[in-house]
Amino acid sequence: MGTWDIIFISCIGLGFLFAIVLMFVDHSHALTGGLESPVLQPVCVVSAITAFGACGFLLHRFTLLSITSVVLLSAGSGLLLAAVGYFIWIRPMKNAENSTGYSLTQLEGQLGEVVTTIPAKGYGEIIITMLSGTSNQIASSQDQVMIPQGSRVIVVKVEDHVLQVIPFE
């Protein structure tokens, strides 16, 4: 086994190990420093290194091409695979990222329906329909009036994790 075979196999092994490490690391920031560059995406780097090693090994072993041609073709294949992977898989996934998490303060101004009657001085429960689903929340009457079950309300503000609501007519 020649020096170039060892280099190519090492690239395959390095790519494989890097892929395993990426499974356990938050690769969105840890390995890129938070930079949003296609060149620095860890998955692209893994793809390029592994493809370089695999193409280089196969071309070197099973063709009569010069080592310069093998290295250039392998590097081109690695870069091409990384670019295709970025534009077909990574970039669309980044654009599709959506979180169902929200802050209670984001509920201010939202309409809801009373599920459990809200007494004048006390707590009840409302349900708010959002894009990500429905959310049941503890609520109290801001005007200190009873709001019966089934009434529509609007969230005015949030205090101590309790939604302050008023009837919506």
Side-chain angles (χ1 to χ4, degrees), residues 7-140:
I7 291 171
F8 294 135
I9 290 173
S10 297
C11 288
I12 295 169
L14 180 65
F16 180 72
L17 289 175
F18 196 39
I20 290 174
V21 168
L22 287 179
M23 289 191 300
F24 300 105
V25 175
D26 176 16
H27 59 276
S28 61
H29 293 291
L31 297 173
T32 64
L35 297 175
E36 293 296 325
S37 168
V39 177
L40 297 178
Q41 293 297 319
V43 174
C44 292
V45 172
V46 169
S47 299
I49 291 171
T50 308
F52 171 78
C55 288
F57 182 76
L58 292 173
L59 290 172
H60 188 250
R61 289 286 250 185
F62 300 111
T63 68
L64 298 176
L65 295 173
S66 70
I67 194 63
T68 305
S69 299
V70 169
V71 170
L72 289 174
L73 285 171
S74 299
S77 297
L79 293 174
L80 180 65
L81 181 66
V84 167
Y86 177 78
F87 288 107
I88 289 180
W89 183 44
I90 296 170
R91 194 165 118 189
M93 292 299 281
K94 281 189 172 287
N95 294 338
E97 285 180 1
N98 190 7
S99 173
T100 57
Y102 60 90
S103 167
L104 285 178
T105 57
Q106 291 175 315
L107 298 178
E108 292 177 1
Q110 296 289 321
L111 293 175
E113 182 179 336
V114 177
V115 178
T116 305
T117 299
I118 302 172
K121 293 185 179 185
Y123 304 102
E125 183 179 9
I126 67 169
I127 188 168
I128 298 174
T129 303
M130 301 178 291
L131 292 175
S132 60
T134 58
S135 176
N136 290 35
Q137 299 292 330
I138 298 171
S140 66

Side-chain angles (χ1 to χ4, degrees), residues 109-112 114 147 150-155 165-169:
Q110 296 289 321
L111 293 175
V114 177
I147 306 173
S151 300
R152 298 203 17 105
V153 293
I154 188 164
V155 179
V165 298
I166 58 174
F168 178 75
E169 300 173 19

